[in-house]
Short mmCIF file of all heavy atoms in Angstrom, two decimals:
data_model
loop_
_atom_site.label_atom_id
_atom_site.label_comp_id
_atom_site.label_asym_id
_atom_site.label_seq_id
_atom_site.Cartn_x
_atom_site.Cartn_y
_atom_site.Cartn_z
N PRO A 346 13.96 27.75 -32.22
CA PRO A 346 14.92 27.47 -33.28
C PRO A 346 16.33 27.40 -32.69
O PRO A 346 16.65 28.11 -31.74
CB PRO A 346 14.78 28.69 -34.20
CG PRO A 346 14.34 29.80 -33.29
CD PRO A 346 13.54 29.16 -32.18
N PHE A 347 17.15 26.52 -33.26
CA PHE A 347 18.55 26.41 -32.85
C PHE A 347 19.35 26.52 -34.16
O PHE A 347 19.28 25.64 -35.02
CB PHE A 347 18.79 25.06 -32.17
CG PHE A 347 20.14 24.94 -31.52
CD1 PHE A 347 20.25 24.94 -30.13
CD2 PHE A 347 21.30 24.84 -32.28
CE1 PHE A 347 21.51 24.84 -29.52
CE2 PHE A 347 22.55 24.75 -31.68
CZ PHE A 347 22.65 24.73 -30.29
N ILE A 348 20.08 27.62 -34.32
CA ILE A 348 20.68 27.94 -35.62
C ILE A 348 22.20 27.77 -35.57
O ILE A 348 22.87 28.33 -34.70
CB ILE A 348 20.35 29.39 -36.02
CG1 ILE A 348 18.82 29.60 -36.02
CG2 ILE A 348 20.96 29.74 -37.37
CD1 ILE A 348 18.40 31.07 -36.04
N PHE A 350 25.42 28.52 -37.76
CA PHE A 350 25.99 29.15 -38.94
C PHE A 350 27.29 28.46 -39.34
O PHE A 350 27.95 27.82 -38.50
CB PHE A 350 26.26 30.64 -38.66
CG PHE A 350 25.00 31.48 -38.61
CD1 PHE A 350 24.42 31.83 -37.40
CD2 PHE A 350 24.38 31.90 -39.79
CE1 PHE A 350 23.26 32.59 -37.36
CE2 PHE A 350 23.22 32.66 -39.75
CZ PHE A 350 22.65 33.00 -38.54
N ALA A 353 30.33 28.85 -37.11
CA ALA A 353 30.20 28.54 -35.67
C ALA A 353 31.41 27.77 -35.16
O ALA A 353 32.12 27.11 -35.94
CB ALA A 353 28.95 27.69 -35.46
N ASP A 354 31.63 27.84 -33.87
CA ASP A 354 32.56 26.94 -33.20
C ASP A 354 31.88 25.57 -33.25
O ASP A 354 30.88 25.33 -32.57
CB ASP A 354 32.76 27.41 -31.75
CG ASP A 354 33.62 26.46 -30.92
OD1 ASP A 354 33.63 25.23 -31.21
OD2 ASP A 354 34.27 26.93 -29.98
N ALA A 357 31.31 23.45 -29.97
CA ALA A 357 30.38 24.10 -29.03
C ALA A 357 28.95 24.01 -29.56
O ALA A 357 28.01 23.74 -28.81
CB ALA A 357 30.79 25.56 -28.83
N ALA A 358 28.78 24.22 -30.87
CA ALA A 358 27.44 24.18 -31.46
C ALA A 358 26.86 22.76 -31.38
O ALA A 358 25.69 22.57 -31.08
CB ALA A 358 27.49 24.65 -32.91
N GLY A 361 26.02 21.98 -27.76
CA GLY A 361 24.87 22.80 -27.38
C GLY A 361 23.58 22.24 -27.97
O GLY A 361 22.56 22.15 -27.28
N MET A 365 20.58 20.95 -25.68
CA MET A 365 19.32 21.71 -25.66
C MET A 365 18.18 20.93 -26.31
O MET A 365 17.02 21.24 -26.10
CB MET A 365 19.52 23.04 -26.37
CG MET A 365 18.85 24.24 -25.76
SD MET A 365 17.93 24.07 -24.22
CE MET A 365 18.71 25.26 -23.17
N ALA A 505 12.18 30.81 -26.60
CA ALA A 505 13.65 30.74 -26.58
C ALA A 505 14.18 30.44 -27.97
O ALA A 505 13.52 29.79 -28.77
CB ALA A 505 14.11 29.65 -25.61
N ALA A 506 15.38 30.96 -28.25
CA ALA A 506 16.06 30.72 -29.52
C ALA A 506 17.56 30.67 -29.26
O ALA A 506 18.04 31.28 -28.30
CB ALA A 506 15.74 31.85 -30.51
N TYR A 507 18.26 29.95 -30.09
CA TYR A 507 19.71 29.78 -29.91
C TYR A 507 20.39 29.93 -31.26
O TYR A 507 19.83 29.53 -32.28
CB TYR A 507 20.03 28.39 -29.34
CG TYR A 507 19.17 28.07 -28.14
CD1 TYR A 507 17.92 27.46 -28.30
CD2 TYR A 507 19.56 28.43 -26.85
CE1 TYR A 507 17.10 27.21 -27.22
CE2 TYR A 507 18.75 28.19 -25.76
CZ TYR A 507 17.51 27.58 -25.94
OH TYR A 507 16.70 27.35 -24.87
N PHE A 508 21.60 30.48 -31.28
CA PHE A 508 22.37 30.46 -32.52
C PHE A 508 23.85 30.49 -32.21
O PHE A 508 24.28 30.98 -31.16
CB PHE A 508 21.96 31.61 -33.45
CG PHE A 508 22.36 32.97 -32.96
CD1 PHE A 508 23.53 33.57 -33.41
CD2 PHE A 508 21.56 33.67 -32.07
CE1 PHE A 508 23.91 34.82 -32.97
CE2 PHE A 508 21.93 34.92 -31.61
CZ PHE A 508 23.11 35.50 -32.06
N TYR A 509 24.63 29.93 -33.13
CA TYR A 509 26.08 29.85 -32.95
C TYR A 509 26.77 30.47 -34.15
O TYR A 509 26.50 30.11 -35.29
CB TYR A 509 26.52 28.38 -32.80
CG TYR A 509 26.29 27.87 -31.38
CD1 TYR A 509 24.99 27.65 -30.91
CD2 TYR A 509 27.35 27.64 -30.52
CE1 TYR A 509 24.77 27.21 -29.61
CE2 TYR A 509 27.14 27.19 -29.22
CZ TYR A 509 25.85 26.99 -28.77
OH TYR A 509 25.64 26.55 -27.49
N THR A 510 27.64 31.44 -33.87
CA THR A 510 28.43 32.11 -34.90
C THR A 510 29.67 32.68 -34.24
O THR A 510 29.65 32.99 -33.04
CB THR A 510 27.65 33.25 -35.56
OG1 THR A 510 28.48 33.89 -36.54
CG2 THR A 510 27.22 34.31 -34.55
N ARG A 511 30.75 32.84 -35.05
CA ARG A 511 31.95 33.49 -34.49
C ARG A 511 32.06 34.94 -34.94
O ARG A 511 32.98 35.64 -34.56
CB ARG A 511 33.20 32.73 -34.95
CG ARG A 511 33.48 31.47 -34.16
CD ARG A 511 34.96 31.14 -34.40
NE ARG A 511 35.40 29.99 -33.69
CZ ARG A 511 35.61 28.80 -34.26
NH1 ARG A 511 35.38 28.62 -35.54
NH2 ARG A 511 36.07 27.80 -33.55
N ASP A 512 31.09 35.38 -35.75
CA ASP A 512 31.12 36.73 -36.30
C ASP A 512 30.40 37.67 -35.32
O ASP A 512 29.20 37.53 -35.09
CB ASP A 512 30.42 36.68 -37.67
CG ASP A 512 30.35 38.04 -38.34
OD1 ASP A 512 30.36 39.06 -37.63
OD2 ASP A 512 30.28 38.06 -39.58
N LEU A 513 31.14 38.61 -34.76
CA LEU A 513 30.57 39.46 -33.71
C LEU A 513 29.43 40.34 -34.22
O LEU A 513 28.40 40.49 -33.55
CB LEU A 513 31.68 40.33 -33.09
CG LEU A 513 31.22 41.26 -31.96
CD1 LEU A 513 30.59 40.48 -30.81
CD2 LEU A 513 32.38 42.09 -31.45
N ALA A 514 29.59 40.89 -35.41
CA ALA A 514 28.53 41.76 -35.94
C ALA A 514 27.26 40.93 -36.18
O ALA A 514 26.14 41.37 -35.89
CB ALA A 514 28.98 42.41 -37.25
N ARG A 515 27.44 39.71 -36.66
CA ARG A 515 26.28 38.84 -36.87
C ARG A 515 25.63 38.48 -35.53
O ARG A 515 24.41 38.44 -35.42
CB ARG A 515 26.72 37.57 -37.60
CG ARG A 515 25.64 36.52 -37.63
CD ARG A 515 26.08 35.28 -38.38
NE ARG A 515 25.95 35.47 -39.80
CZ ARG A 515 26.53 34.68 -40.71
NH1 ARG A 515 27.32 33.70 -40.31
NH2 ARG A 515 26.35 34.89 -41.98
N LEU A 516 26.44 38.26 -34.52
CA LEU A 516 25.91 37.92 -33.20
C LEU A 516 24.96 39.03 -32.71
O LEU A 516 23.87 38.76 -32.20
CB LEU A 516 27.06 37.73 -32.22
CG LEU A 516 26.66 37.27 -30.81
CD1 LEU A 516 27.70 36.29 -30.25
CD2 LEU A 516 26.50 38.43 -29.87
N VAL A 517 25.38 40.29 -32.94
CA VAL A 517 24.53 41.40 -32.51
C VAL A 517 23.27 41.48 -33.37
O VAL A 517 22.16 41.58 -32.87
CB VAL A 517 25.33 42.73 -32.55
CG1 VAL A 517 24.41 43.92 -32.27
CG2 VAL A 517 26.48 42.69 -31.55
N ARG A 518 23.45 41.40 -34.70
CA ARG A 518 22.29 41.50 -35.62
C ARG A 518 21.25 40.43 -35.32
O ARG A 518 20.07 40.69 -35.22
CB ARG A 518 22.76 41.29 -37.07
CG ARG A 518 23.34 42.49 -37.76
CD ARG A 518 23.45 42.25 -39.27
NE ARG A 518 24.13 41.02 -39.66
CZ ARG A 518 25.44 40.92 -39.93
NH1 ARG A 518 26.23 41.97 -39.83
NH2 ARG A 518 25.96 39.75 -40.30
N VAL A 519 21.70 39.20 -35.21
CA VAL A 519 20.76 38.09 -35.04
C VAL A 519 20.08 38.18 -33.67
O VAL A 519 18.87 37.99 -33.55
CB VAL A 519 21.46 36.73 -35.26
CG1 VAL A 519 20.50 35.57 -34.99
CG2 VAL A 519 22.01 36.64 -36.68
N SER A 520 20.84 38.51 -32.63
CA SER A 520 20.25 38.66 -31.29
C SER A 520 19.12 39.67 -31.32
O SER A 520 18.07 39.47 -30.70
CB SER A 520 21.29 39.14 -30.27
OG SER A 520 22.32 38.21 -30.14
N GLU A 521 19.34 40.77 -32.04
CA GLU A 521 18.34 41.83 -32.06
C GLU A 521 17.11 41.45 -32.88
O GLU A 521 16.02 41.93 -32.63
CB GLU A 521 18.96 43.13 -32.59
CG GLU A 521 19.91 43.73 -31.56
CD GLU A 521 20.64 44.97 -32.05
OE1 GLU A 521 20.55 45.31 -33.26
OE2 GLU A 521 21.32 45.60 -31.23
N LEU A 523 15.82 38.23 -33.54
CA LEU A 523 15.02 37.06 -33.14
C LEU A 523 13.89 37.51 -32.21
O LEU A 523 14.13 38.22 -31.24
CB LEU A 523 15.92 36.02 -32.45
CG LEU A 523 16.84 35.25 -33.37
CD1 LEU A 523 17.86 34.43 -32.57
CD2 LEU A 523 16.05 34.33 -34.32
N TYR A 525 12.19 36.51 -29.69
CA TYR A 525 12.11 35.54 -28.59
C TYR A 525 12.51 36.21 -27.28
O TYR A 525 13.37 37.09 -27.28
CB TYR A 525 13.05 34.35 -28.88
CG TYR A 525 12.53 33.48 -30.01
CD1 TYR A 525 12.78 33.81 -31.34
CD2 TYR A 525 11.73 32.37 -29.74
CE1 TYR A 525 12.25 33.06 -32.38
CE2 TYR A 525 11.21 31.61 -30.76
CZ TYR A 525 11.47 31.95 -32.08
OH TYR A 525 10.94 31.19 -33.10
N LEU A 527 14.07 34.79 -24.75
CA LEU A 527 15.39 34.33 -24.31
C LEU A 527 16.20 33.95 -25.55
O LEU A 527 15.74 33.15 -26.36
CB LEU A 527 15.26 33.10 -23.40
CG LEU A 527 16.57 32.42 -22.99
CD1 LEU A 527 17.34 33.27 -21.98
CD2 LEU A 527 16.31 31.04 -22.39
N VAL A 528 17.38 34.55 -25.71
CA VAL A 528 18.23 34.22 -26.85
C VAL A 528 19.58 33.73 -26.33
O VAL A 528 20.25 34.43 -25.56
CB VAL A 528 18.43 35.43 -27.78
CG1 VAL A 528 19.43 35.11 -28.88
CG2 VAL A 528 17.09 35.86 -28.39
N GLY A 529 19.95 32.53 -26.72
CA GLY A 529 21.26 32.00 -26.39
C GLY A 529 22.20 32.26 -27.56
O GLY A 529 22.05 31.65 -28.62
N ALA A 530 23.15 33.19 -27.39
CA ALA A 530 24.10 33.52 -28.45
C ALA A 530 25.39 32.77 -28.13
O ALA A 530 26.10 33.14 -27.21
CB ALA A 530 24.32 35.02 -28.51
N ASN A 531 25.65 31.70 -28.85
CA ASN A 531 26.75 30.77 -28.56
C ASN A 531 26.56 30.14 -27.17
O ASN A 531 27.54 29.82 -26.50
CB ASN A 531 28.12 31.46 -28.63
CG ASN A 531 28.43 31.94 -30.03
OD1 ASN A 531 28.02 31.29 -31.01
ND2 ASN A 531 29.14 33.04 -30.14
N ASP A 532 25.34 30.02 -26.74
CA ASP A 532 25.07 29.46 -25.41
C ASP A 532 23.79 28.63 -25.42
O ASP A 532 22.79 29.03 -26.00
CB ASP A 532 24.92 30.60 -24.38
CG ASP A 532 24.87 30.05 -22.97
OD1 ASP A 532 25.95 29.83 -22.39
OD2 ASP A 532 23.76 29.80 -22.46
N ALA A 533 23.86 27.49 -24.75
CA ALA A 533 22.68 26.62 -24.68
C ALA A 533 22.46 26.15 -23.25
O ALA A 533 22.22 24.98 -22.99
CB ALA A 533 22.86 25.42 -25.61
N THR A 534 22.55 27.10 -22.31
CA THR A 534 22.33 26.72 -20.92
C THR A 534 21.03 27.29 -20.35
O THR A 534 20.67 26.99 -19.22
CB THR A 534 23.51 27.16 -20.02
OG1 THR A 534 23.75 28.54 -20.25
CG2 THR A 534 24.76 26.37 -20.33
N GLY A 535 20.33 28.13 -21.12
CA GLY A 535 19.04 28.62 -20.66
C GLY A 535 19.14 29.82 -19.74
O GLY A 535 20.14 30.53 -19.73
N ILE A 540 18.22 36.91 -14.53
CA ILE A 540 17.66 37.57 -15.72
C ILE A 540 16.15 37.29 -15.83
O ILE A 540 15.67 36.24 -15.42
CB ILE A 540 18.36 37.12 -17.03
CG1 ILE A 540 18.29 35.59 -17.20
CG2 ILE A 540 19.79 37.60 -17.06
CD1 ILE A 540 18.87 35.09 -18.53
#
Side-chain angles (χ1 to χ4, degrees):
F347 190 109
I348 304 165
F350 287 99
D354 175 332
M365 219 3 124
Y507 311 88
F508 69 96
Y509 280 71
T510 178
R511 280 199 179 104
D512 179 333
L513 181 58
R515 170 179 279 164
L516 184 143
V517 173
R518 278 194 308 267
V519 176
S520 298
E521 288 176 351
L523 287 170
Y525 290 84
L527 174 72
V528 174
N531 295 327
D532 189 85
T534 52
I540 57 175

